Amino acid sequence: MTTAPPAGPAAPPRVPAGLFTPSPTSSARPDAPPLPPVRRTPLVVAGLLAAALTAYVWSAHGAKPGVLLLLGLGLGVALFHSRFGFTSAWRQLVAVGNGTGLRAHTLLLGTTATLFAVIIGTGTGLFGSQPAPSGGSLGVGLVVGSALFAVGMQLGGACASGTLFAVGSGQTSVVLTLAGFVAGATLAAWQFDLWKDLPAWDPVVLSDHIGWFGSWAVTIAALLLVVFVSRRVQARRNPPPLGPVPSARGAAVRVLRGSWPLAAGALALAVLGAGVLLVSGGAWGVTSAFSLWGSELVGALGGHPENWTWWKQPGNAGMLAGPVLADKTSLTDIGIMIGAAVAAALGGSWALHRGIPWRTAVASVLGGVLMGIGARLAGGCNIGAYLAGIASGSLSGWVWGAVALAGTWVGLKLRPLFGLGNPKPGDGVC
């Protein structure tokens, strides 16, 4: 007679992976390192700058620009605390199959699409604004521009919004990216006649065909499909986890100083972006201000940007003629940089980085120039074209995202030429 071996501990039941359960990685994510102490001097300087600039804008230009600046400050805080990135998310997905960042995008896109459907569908606006969707044209400029932008953000190390919050947090190399970004956007505006007649078709906005509820439903269904596919890819490739960032114990301290979950960042950005739409009537954008800043500099140096065809276009002439601190996009961009500086100083992370390798510096400037040119050709960046486009139910936003994903692969191939590394499957943390 045989005796059955003693039964060991029962294996835990297998729970099927749900839509929002964590996707597998090759190892557990390490614990976050402790927070460094508050950087008091940068905090005081950034705080005083935020208060003084808000008071000036409010008194000189009115409540509407003042509120837009406050929304920009909030965007900067949310971007920094959540380290919400587009560049790194696409790089992680293409290089090692980690779709965590991309799934955070879908939460941001879905929440923004929901808020946009309510706001635009009901015609709700503040300060007399009339909210309108962001529908970009479909054509050669969109494809070429989004591809150039994707390559540029992998070389420059940040996207449009990421460039602003990285500059605010003291990352010196990204200051070079911002300088290249402004130069590229200004160059593209100056040479508008060379590319303005590229083949293009009228925008396709779903709400014009199936109403706002139908547009919202199709957008959410498409985003759920992206979540499903990215989870399958991650399960098959089993990538290393994302690297942790310094955080704090306790919810209250974490809100003010520590890192936020990507989901919290996505929700905060969606609400603040919807606030920009409510106040201004247009979606949150970034890169039109770069063309304005560069053109203002050209004018200060004796040039005549007012004679450029770009600035004679409807809507652009008034932007160049008016004060920078009354321009919607300039206000939110400046707010993002100052808000990120406040958040970085509170988190103890604000620091100027010295000794930038020359190849990194070249990549930063070149990446910025490519992004500036690409954003003008494509009619926007990862915010104005991708986020606002998809949230508005515009086909252009989906085309921008798909081409940018392909352009990311090209950018990853070019990064080693400049001494920049890429995530690898065997990394302990990527």
Side-chain angles (χ1 to χ4, degrees), residues 39 50 78 88 114 147 180 185 218-219 225 290 293 340 348 383 416 422:
R39 297 296 307 276
S88 59
T114 303
V218 170
T219 300
L225 179 61
F290 297 163
W293 299 351
I383 300 298
N422 290 320

Side-chain angles (χ1 to χ4, degrees), residues 137-144 199-201:
S137 59
L138 303 170
V140 174
L142 174 62
V143 174
V144 173
W201 294 267

Side-chain angles (χ1 to χ4, degrees), residues 56-57 116 140 145 165 173 204 212 236 242 261 265 288 294 298-299 340 348 363 390 412-413 423 427:
Y56 171 78
V57 169
F116 274 29
V140 174
F165 91 73
S173 63
V204 176
W212 274 106
R236 186 174 69 251
L242 299 180
S288 65
V298 170
I390 290 178
L412 295 183
K413 297 297 182 183
D427 291 344

Side-chain angles (χ1 to χ4, degrees), residues 286-383:
V286 173
T287 56
S288 65
F290 297 163
S291 297
L292 175 62
W293 299 351
S295 298
E296 292 282 4
L297 178 60
V298 170
L301 295 175
H304 296 281
E306 69 276 6
N307 295 329
W308 300 352
T309 306
W310 172 263
W311 292 115
K312 294 180 180 180
Q313 299 301 298
N316 289 352
M319 185 189 307
L320 183 65
V324 170
L325 289 179
D327 172 57
K328 161 201 159 185
T329 308
S330 295
L331 287 167
T332 52
D333 284 1
I334 293 169
I336 287 171
M337 289 188 283
I338 299 174
V342 171
L346 276 171
S349 300
W350 196 95
L352 291 176
H353 302 276
R354 299 181 176 88
I356 304 169
W358 71 268
R359 286 197 294 173
T360 301
V362 170
S364 297
V365 174
L366 177 59
V369 170
L370 290 176
M371 284 192 288
I373 295 172
R376 291 283 63 79
L377 290 175
C381 60
N382 57 295
I383 300 298

